[in-house]
Amino acid sequence: MKSKAALVCLNALAHERRLILFRLLVRAGDVGMAVGELAEATAMAGASLTNHLNILRRAGLVEDERRGRVIQCRANYPQMNALLGFLTENCCAGSPGASCTTTSSCNTNRRAS
Amino acid sequence: MKSKAALVCLNALAHERRLILFRLLVRAGDVGMAVGELAEATAMAGASLTNHLNILRRAGLVEDERRGRVIQCRANYPQMNALLGFLTENCCAGSPGASCTTTSSCNTNRRAS
DNA sequence: CAAATATTTCTATTATTCTAGAAATATGAA
DNA sequence: TTCATATTTCTAGAATAATAGAAATATTTG
């Protein structure tokens, strides 16, 4: 994942309502949730919900599939992983052996080569 | 880390300039960088830089220490880790065995108990 | 104390994002 | 085809965030 894409993902998650939406979907797993179910669960107005879902969709964090009249949404785990990867892989890249060795977020000093 | 704190962190990182600042500090390691060095590296106006640093500070992602006239900034790795932990620990909490088992971002199915 | 340096706070302007009502689109059912 | 349901797009006003100039604060040096 490139810096720009990470920024889009971070931006998508950095909003109270969108973080709630994303977490609902993450917990819903493979089955996912319909837009209508999300609307009911969050009591959001339709237009507002669609806009937030679009931001999550553009970030690649949410995917969906039409099933008749219903649009079923799912969290995109690989994209979620890519974001976490971006945040950890680039950590301390310029200074292996620094204090981040003691943290779990930095993998500089754990790489094979 | 609570949802509110994670939101503050995500918000802090979800900005082009702040992500650049944070990454500079992450790479600078223990030594960190002075505000003036950050200003030079990013060509930001002083007031703008201070505002962005304050947002990172409030999020707990950046700490600093005055050394004479200079204020030396460092990335706060534990807080960074807490954010990553929040994003992974709550993943799929409600549905162990779901598709996220195959991803590295979900640790629901990897927990000891 | 006065001057110089580093950084922040104050302030106002500009830009962006959020929100939701209303109209539009897509699908399924009668 | 006509009606009902699900969701989106359009639109505009309201709220929030970004930016930077200028003044203020803190520290060191002479």
Side-chain angles (χ1 to χ4, degrees):
Chain A
M1 176 175 289
K2 298 208 69 168
S3 187
K4 177 67 183 169
L7 218 37
V8 173
C9 283
L10 288 167
N11 217 358
L13 293 174
H15 185 282
E16 188 171 20
R17 290 179 157 190
R18 290 196 293 269
L19 190 57
I20 288 170
L21 285 172
F22 185 68
R23 292 169 82 73
L24 280 171
L25 290 176
V26 162
R27 294 187 182 185
D30 289 338
V31 176
M33 289 175 76
V35 175
E37 291 179 295
L38 291 170
E40 195 180 6
T42 61
M44 272 188 227
S48 201
L49 175 57
T50 295
N51 285 335
H52 288 307
L53 284 176
N54 279 341
I55 288 169
L56 289 164
R57 284 163 177 150
R58 263 180 253 131
L61 291 166
V62 166
E63 294 182 320
D64 44 36
E65 186 187 358
R66 182 178 271 278
R67 291 187 192 166
R69 274 183 292 206
V70 172
I71 291 182
Q72 195 76 6
C73 300
R74 278 177 297 109
N76 183 356
Y77 297 110
Q79 182 74 344
M80 171 80 185
N81 293 334
L83 174 62
L84 294 174
F86 170 83
L87 290 173
T88 56
E89 280 170 24
N90 291 280
C91 169
C92 312
S95 57
S99 72
C100 50
T101 39
T102 57
T103 73
S104 65
S105 73
C106 175
N107 58 15
T108 292
N109 301 290
R110 255 182 268 138
R111 273 205 274 268
S113 61
Chain B
M1 175 176 289
K2 299 208 69 169
S3 185
K4 177 68 183 170
L7 219 36
V8 173
C9 284
L10 288 167
N11 216 357
L13 294 174
H15 185 280
E16 187 171 18
R17 291 180 155 188
R18 289 196 295 268
L19 190 57
I20 288 169
L21 286 172
F22 185 68
R23 292 169 83 72
L24 280 170
L25 291 175
V26 162
R27 295 186 180 185
D30 288 338
V31 178
M33 289 174 78
V35 175
E37 291 179 296
L38 290 170
E40 196 180 5
T42 61
M44 274 189 228
S48 201
L49 175 58
T50 295
N51 285 334
H52 288 307
L53 284 176
N54 280 342
I55 288 169
L56 288 164
R57 284 164 177 148
R58 262 179 254 131
L61 290 166
V62 167
E63 294 181 319
D64 44 35
E65 187 186 358
R66 182 179 270 279
R67 292 188 191 163
R69 275 184 289 207
V70 171
I71 292 183
Q72 194 77 7
C73 300
R74 279 178 294 111
N76 184 356
Y77 297 111
Q79 182 74 344
M80 172 79 185
N81 293 334
L83 175 62
L84 295 175
F86 170 84
L87 290 172
T88 56
E89 280 170 23
N90 292 279
C91 170
C92 313
S95 57
S99 73
C100 49
T101 38
T102 58
T103 74
S104 64
S105 73
C106 174
N107 58 15
T108 293
N109 301 291
R110 254 184 269 139
R111 271 205 274 269
S113 60

